[in-house]
């Protein structure tokens, strides 16, 4: 049976995945494919380039999930390529605060371009001055910026479109404006307001730097940033005595003891995987393994299904995205440091989502262990899809 993707675009952009669903009805890949068709038909907005009902940063994560799926199923590549192209062109128009990254002497926000910004590079330097405007993807929050940088790196990996990579490079340079915080002379702030040093912005800073180090000629620049960030992060106190990561630091640079969210246990795993690839050091994967083990202990149930106990089932608008990010990065760690416990968690979560967290329209909600709860939206759905896609890889 031919699966198809229904949107407002012409039939030339239908997702043609020639799968025999009678044969593959219960396969991990078939579940992911069915869910992708649902995501696109129900929520992708060709005009905005973002999935309706999902926020700005959530859209970046949906894009990353789509790239991850395309990386393991070539039949998804045509759809993914179309979405990348469309989103790249039209989504900046719905950026809630484009280009706001630093406060000038008058207290007014403005875009900050450091000397290494691509537009300032001389002829012949690696880059394409004038072709991209990364400030279109900046919104004043360095974590949001980091999600979009990772999304465009993932899109670059599928398409080799240099504009996507150059955009990620520019976004990262915007993020460097957040360095340093008031805590041990390092780390980046959560936003241009410079009023909170939190885990997610710093983990994303690490991950983007490490990802870029593996994709550009000036590798040493990004390795240096990633290593500086990891050194600071380890010393910051955000990793607690249980090896889980709290939300951030107080103004006097103490662990604030706030919720141990799944995504804060996840992004760091992917960052350390990429850093170890760029600058091999066994301590990186050992640290990642400790964090992963602690997260699994704290944030999965007896069946191995992942939870955000701090919010479920009322996790909107942000927490709906968190669990998928953790599983995505857990799979990345498994790809270089395999562990059966990672497989158990990924498969248990994916199987439970399909059995217990899916409605009759194949929409996936926030409570992965079940029962299905409304509201379901693009964020809950593409987060759950991260688990389904990860299950394709490890099955």
């Amino acid at each position: 049976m031919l699966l198809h993707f229904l949107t407002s675009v012409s039939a030339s952009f239908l997702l043609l995945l020639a799968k025999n669903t009678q044969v593959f009805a219960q396969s991990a890949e078939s579940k992911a494919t069915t869910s992708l068709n649902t995501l696109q038909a129900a929520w992708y907005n060709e005009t905005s380039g973002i999935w309706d009902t999902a926020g700005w940063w959530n859209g970046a994560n949906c894009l990353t999930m789509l790239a991850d799926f395309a990386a393991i199923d070539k039949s998804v590549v045509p759809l993914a390529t179309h979405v990348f192209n469309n989103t790249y062109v039209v989504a900046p128009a719905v950026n809630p605060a484009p280009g706001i990254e630093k406060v000038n002497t008058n207290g007014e926000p403005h875009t900050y371009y450091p000397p290494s910004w691509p537009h300032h590079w001389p002829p012949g330097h690696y880059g394409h001055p004038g072709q991209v405007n990364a400030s279109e993807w900046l919104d004043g929050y360095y974590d949001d910026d980091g999600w979009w940088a990772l999304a465009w790196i993932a899109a670059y990996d599928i398409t080799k479109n240099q504009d996507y990579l150059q955009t990620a490079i520019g976004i990262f340079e915007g993020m460097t404006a957040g360095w340093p915080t008031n805590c041990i002379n390092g780390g980046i702030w959560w936003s241009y307001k410079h009023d909170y040093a939190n885990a997610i912005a710093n983990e994303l800073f690490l991950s983007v730097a490490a990802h870029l180090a593996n994709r550009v000629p000036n590798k040493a620049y990004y390795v240096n940033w990633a290593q500086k960030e990891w050194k600071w992060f380890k010393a910051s106190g955000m990793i607690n005595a249980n090896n889980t990561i709290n939300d951030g630091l107080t103004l006097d640079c103490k662990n604030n003891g706030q919720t141990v969210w799944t995504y804060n246990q996840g992004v760091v795993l992917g960052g350390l995987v990429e850093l170890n690839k760029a600058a091999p050091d066994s301590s990186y994967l050992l640290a990642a393994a400790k964090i992963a083990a602690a997260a699994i202990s704290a944030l999965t149930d007896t069946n191995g299904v992942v939870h955000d106990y701090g919010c479920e089932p009322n996790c909107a608008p942000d927490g709906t995205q968190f669990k998928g990010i953790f599983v995505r990065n857990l799979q990345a760690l498994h790809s270089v440091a395999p562990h059966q416990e990672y497989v158990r968690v990924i498969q248990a979560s994916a199987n439970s989502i399909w059995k217990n967290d899916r409605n009759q329209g194949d929409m996936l909600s926030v409570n992965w262990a079940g029962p299905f709860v409304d509201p379901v939206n693009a964020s809950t759905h593409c987060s759950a899809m991260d688990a389904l896609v990860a299950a394709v890889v490890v099955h």
Side-chain angles (χ1 to χ4, degrees):
M1 180 177 180
L2 188 66
L3 298 178
H4 59 281
F5 160 51
L6 300 175
T7 67
S8 59
V9 295
S10 67
S12 61
F13 292 118
L14 295 182
L15 174 61
L16 301 178
L17 301 177
K19 308 289 187 186
N20 184 330
T21 55
Q22 291 182 343
V23 175
F24 296 105
Q26 297 302 311
S27 73
E29 188 171 9
S30 177
K31 293 172 186 177
T33 297
T34 298
S35 300
L36 177 57
N37 286 338
T38 300
L39 176 71
Q40 295 303 108
W43 291 295
Y44 186 66
N45 187 320
E46 289 281 330
T47 301
S48 71
I50 302 293
W51 289 261
D52 289 338
T53 71
W56 175 245
W57 77 271
N58 308 83
N61 276 279
C62 291
L63 198 76
T64 301
M65 179 280 298
L66 178 58
D68 288 348
F69 194 10
I72 58 174
D73 186 340
K74 298 308 179 186
S75 67
V76 177
V77 171
L79 168 64
T81 300
H82 166 68
V83 172
F84 301 155
N85 289 341
N86 185 66
T87 296
Y88 191 75
V89 172
V90 303
V94 297
N95 182 340
I100 298 177
E101 292 305 311
K102 196 170 184 178
V103 177
N104 64 20
T105 54
N106 297 320
E108 296 296 326
H110 71 106
T111 301
Y112 169 72
Y113 296 100
S116 53
W117 182 256
H119 291 256
H120 298 163
W121 289 346
H125 195 290
Y126 182 71
H128 301 280
Q131 280 194 357
V132 300
N133 180 9
S135 69
E136 294 179 330
W137 301 95
L138 309 178
D139 74 344
Y141 289 87
Y142 299 119
D143 55 343
D144 291 3
D145 301 345
W147 296 123
W148 279 109
L150 289 178
W152 291 122
I153 290 169
Y156 165 77
D157 286 347
I158 299 302
T159 64
K160 303 307 176 186
N161 184 326
Q162 283 289 326
D163 284 352
Y164 299 158
L165 184 61
Q166 294 305 316
T167 298
I169 289 169
I171 292 171
F172 179 78
E173 291 303 328
M175 294 175 73
T176 65
W179 184 285
T181 69
N182 66 314
C183 297
I184 54 177
N185 196 37
I188 66 168
W189 297 97
W190 178 37
S191 79
Y192 76 92
K193 297 177 183 179
H194 292 193
D195 56 4
Y196 184 37
N198 67 349
I200 196 59
N202 282 282
E203 293 181 36
L204 285 163
F205 191 66
L206 164 67
S207 190
V208 174
H211 275 78
L212 288 173
N214 289 312
R215 290 161 177 83
V216 300
N218 53 331
K219 178 178 182 177
Y221 173 76
Y222 296 101
V223 168
N224 180 60
W225 267 119
Q227 290 175 331
K228 280 204 306 183
E229 171 59 46
W230 176 235
K231 180 180 179 180
W232 177 87
F233 193 84
K234 285 191 299 180
S236 72
M238 279 190 270
I239 304 175
N240 60 41
N242 297 321
N243 284 315
T244 54
I245 300 170
N246 294 97
D247 194 67
L249 303 176
T250 60
L251 288 176
D252 61 350
C253 303
K254 306 295 183 183
N255 185 314
N256 63 16
Q258 291 184 18
T259 305
V260 174
W261 298 114
T262 52
Y263 78 153
N264 280 332
Q265 322 311 305
V267 173
V268 67
L269 306 182
L272 289 171
V273 167
E274 289 286 330
L275 180 54
N276 184 68
K277 181 180 178 181
D281 182 331
S282 61
S283 69
Y284 299 147
L285 295 186
L286 287 173
K290 287 182 180 179
I291 294 168
I296 290 170
S297 177
L299 299 171
T300 64
D301 61 26
T302 56
N303 296 317
V305 179
V306 178
H307 291 268
D308 266 304
Y309 293 114
C311 66
E312 289 179 2
N314 300 309
C315 294
D318 291 326
T320 50
Q321 204 71 49
F322 292 173
K323 294 191 294 292
I325 293 165
F326 171 72
V327 173
R328 179 198 311 157
N329 286 280
L330 185 67
Q331 187 276 313
L333 177 59
H334 176 72
S335 70
V336 298
H339 197 295
Q340 189 55 39
E341 188 68 357
Y342 307 159
V343 176
R344 183 181 76 89
V345 168
I346 291 168
Q347 291 182 336
S349 296
N351 290 338
S352 183
I353 288 165
W354 198 251
K355 181 179 179 181
N356 303 311
D357 191 35
R358 176 173 59 108
N359 68 10
Q360 292 183 342
D362 290 321
M363 294 178 175
L364 311 174
S365 190
V366 69
N367 185 14
W368 289 6
F372 178 92
V373 293
D374 278 318
V376 63
N377 56 44
S379 174
T380 66
H381 188 93
C382 75
S383 177
M385 277 200 68
D386 274 312
L388 299 185
V389 170
V392 175
V393 179
V394 304
H395 80 282

